[in-house]
Amino acid sequence: MKDNGLIEFRWHGRGGQGAKTACLLLADAAFSSGKFVQGFPEYGPERMGAPITAYNRISDARCSIHCNIDEPDYVVVVDETLLDTVEVTRGLAPQGAVIVNTAKSPAEIRPKLSGWGGKVCTIDARRISEETLGRNFPNTPMLSAAVKISGVLEEGKFKQDMEESFHHKFAAKPQVVAGNMAALVQAWEEVQEG
């Protein structure tokens, strides 16, 4: 954590996986909790499956920094295959954590992290989303894991804000709300720290 309670996240994913959406949902939830927020994506080639990066700044005071985040407190990796091509731990704060969408344990992922010695967390967001939503939508489980590991938001308020957000976002598809909430709760319980 930096000055003014500033916490920074960097998201790594591929187009179509919902990393940008999760980033923006985190910004909305933090804003609802009275925090100052920024949430924004950075694109390379804009096509399905292309690597994307998204960023969050969450703070107790107004933040006047408006640039990409080179030294995040937390890194969220929505697609495990990016570990082979992107140095996801670049600039990651030593007291921070990397959170990876994988069926593997933190100990199994650590060798892929360029010597990163800090906290490694894993969550099988694919399995959770397939069980709760019927398809691979890893963003909701990854969002839940990121909030739990970072402690950036209080659990009860976060879940309440997300339920309200899902009701608004999926007003025409109320059945999707229950699936997303189940994914959120299951991920909160299953994220592994190592």
Side-chain angles (χ1 to χ4, degrees):
M1 185 182 304
K2 299 164 181 77
D3 293 337
N4 298 323
L6 177 64
I7 298 176
E8 296 178 313
F9 293 81
R10 187 172 65 217
W11 298 76
H12 293 279
R14 294 188 184 276
Q17 293 179 323
K20 178 183 100 168
T21 300
C23 168
L24 297 178
L25 285 170
L26 177 56
D28 286 346
F31 181 78
S32 293
S33 293
K35 304 278 187 178
F36 289 87
V37 300
Q38 293 178 12
F40 54 97
E42 172 187 48
Y43 296 102
E46 293 187 40
R47 61 177 172 33
M48 186 72 83
I52 70 123
T53 309
Y55 306 93
N56 285 107
R57 283 192 180 91
I58 300 171
S59 119
D60 296 328
R62 185 173 303 281
C63 180
S64 60
I65 305 167
H66 297 283
C67 60
N68 291 347
I69 296 170
D70 294 324
E71 296 180 348
D73 299 293
Y74 298 93
V75 169
V76 184
V77 183
V78 181
D79 189 316
E80 177 184 2
T81 66
L82 291 170
L83 297 179
D84 298 326
T85 58
V86 177
E87 189 183 349
V88 298
T89 56
R90 178 185 43 81
L92 181 56
Q95 68 279 12
V98 60
I99 306 156
V100 181
N101 174 13
T102 182
K104 297 174 183 158
S105 71
E108 291 173 294
I109 288 298
R110 187 173 294 282
K112 293 185 162 219
L113 298 176
S114 305
W116 167 248
K119 190 187 304 185
V120 176
C121 306
T122 59
I123 181 73
D124 193 348
R126 179 186 187 114
R127 178 186 50 79
I128 291 170
S129 66
E130 288 175 348
E131 289 175 1
T132 58
L133 296 164
R135 290 185 55 196
N136 183 17
F137 292 118
N139 57 340
T140 297
M142 294 306 294
L143 170 62
S144 183
V147 171
K148 179 176 182 180
I149 295 303
S150 68
V152 69
L153 300 172
E154 186 274 318
E155 178 183 3
K157 177 84 168 101
F158 167 66
K159 290 177 179 175
Q160 177 187 343
D161 288 345
M162 291 311 304
E163 187 165 14
E164 289 171 11
S165 178
F166 291 146
H167 277 291
H168 177 73
K169 182 175 182 172
F170 301 115
K173 302 178 196 176
Q175 70 280 8
V176 178
V177 174
N180 272 285
M181 286 307 297
L184 196 108
V185 169
Q186 190 172 338
W188 191 277
E189 294 167 358
E190 292 185 16
V191 64
Q192 299 178 55
E193 296 183 45

